[in-house]
Amino acid sequence: MPSFGITSGCMTADKRYALALRLAEWGDFSASADLLQQGIELAPDWPPLYFHFGEALRQAKNYAAARHAFEEYLRLDPADAMGAAIKLFLIGAAPAPPTMPEEYVRTLFHQYAPKFEKSLVGNLAYRAPGEMAALVFAHRENGFSHILDLGCGTGLAAQFFQGRGAAMTGVDLAPGMIREARAKNLYTALHEARIEDFLAAAEERYDLALAADLFVYIGEIAAIFKQIATVMTDGGLYCFSVQTPESGTDGWILGPDHRYAHAHAYIARCIEEAGLALVDFRAAIPLRLDGGKPVAGAIYLARKP
């Protein structure tokens, strides 16, 4: 997916790069950084060398040098397919980006799509779609005319709502995810698009909008809530999940797990400012595992008056 290709064009640099990544996996970040620096000397225009050089330096706590490496990466790849903006924030060299770089999310999930479900459901005990369905059905069991699944991925949420609506539309940024979702025949329409762009151009109206695990990749969500409200029918429902911060904020934060978390007070403000009404929510739900530990989250249900 990234425009810079999968090799540096220099076989020697590629070998050093491959060995450096293996050394980083083994925890030898100093040796990894040395090899990556050698690779940069051989292939100075290949962005991944700078990104992983920065990451090895970050792990070795050499933050000043890591900052320079990440900035060099961004000079070569302004679209930021590898997420250097996140790393710069984590070392205190830049403010938290309000959303993850679009190209980073597209590339990550396009590559991840074939093994997405096995990893998320099989290994990480992903629960968000089932919890969302339970909350929706507690208030309305069926009779939806058109369901909108934002950040639909491979269709994990759609599976719980199959047969509950006359039509279902899925939207995702990653072409690999759209391909996997299409194979399930759950949707009447699928769109490969940026969520904000799709909502801005949407002509259809939906009486149920879903966003399962979408907002762990978007920090500032007030504007997108307003967009969602505009495509909902009167009386329509909007159900979504968020990761919740451990403490210390009434807004949103980007954590060391490279995920955004949103406080309840912030969510409540976003719902109100979008002209929606909070119907119900479930807090302290383990949405998935991370490092073998449950990730705390919340499920919300809002209605358009």
Side-chain angles (χ1 to χ4, degrees), residues 37 50 53-55 57-58 61-72 91:
Q37 190 167 34
Y50 292 92
F53 183 42
E55 181 60 5
L57 292 166
R58 183 180 81 90
K61 295 183 169 51
N62 187 348
Y63 297 136
R67 175 178 184 169
H68 177 71
F70 288 132
E71 288 175 345
E72 281 298 297
I91 62 174

Side-chain angles (χ1 to χ4, degrees), residues 151-287:
C152 65
T154 61
L156 289 175
Q159 293 174 157
F160 287 91
F161 292 89
Q162 188 175 17
R164 302 280 183 165
M168 187 182 301
T169 293
V171 186
D172 202 278
L173 187 62
M177 290 294 192
I178 293 292
R179 183 175 60 246
E180 297 290 325
R182 184 170 287 115
K184 291 183 176 179
N185 294 315
L186 295 168
Y187 298 94
T188 50
L190 281 163
H191 298 268
E192 179 191 327
R194 184 171 172 265
I195 298 297
E196 294 89 338
D197 294 342
F198 172 84
L199 292 171
E203 296 180 356
E204 296 282 343
R205 293 297 175 261
Y206 308 91
D207 51 357
L208 175 61
L210 306 170
D213 234 24
L214 173 63
F215 299 123
V216 295
Y217 305 104
I218 305 172
E220 178 54 67
I221 58 176
I224 200 169
F225 273 37
K226 292 176 182 178
Q227 283 190 295
I228 291 169
T230 65
V231 304
M232 293 172 61
T233 61
D234 292 345
L237 297 177
Y238 167 38
C239 188
F240 60 94
S241 65
V242 296
Q243 189 168 314
T244 50
E246 292 182 2
S247 61
T249 181
D250 63 353
W252 57 267
I253 61 168
L254 176 57
D257 61 349
H258 301 58
R259 299 291 184 269
Y260 292 100
H262 300 81
H264 175 77
Y266 177 70
I267 293 293
R269 289 199 303 272
C270 289
I271 289 173
E272 181 179 5
E273 289 171 3
L276 303 173
L278 178 60
V279 175
D280 201 352
F281 71 98
R282 301 284 187 268
I285 294 173
L287 297 180

Side-chain angles (χ1 to χ4, degrees), residues 19-33:
L19 180 55
L21 296 191
R22 184 169 297 179
L23 287 168
E25 289 177 0
W26 294 339
D28 192 344
F29 300 112
S30 294
S32 177

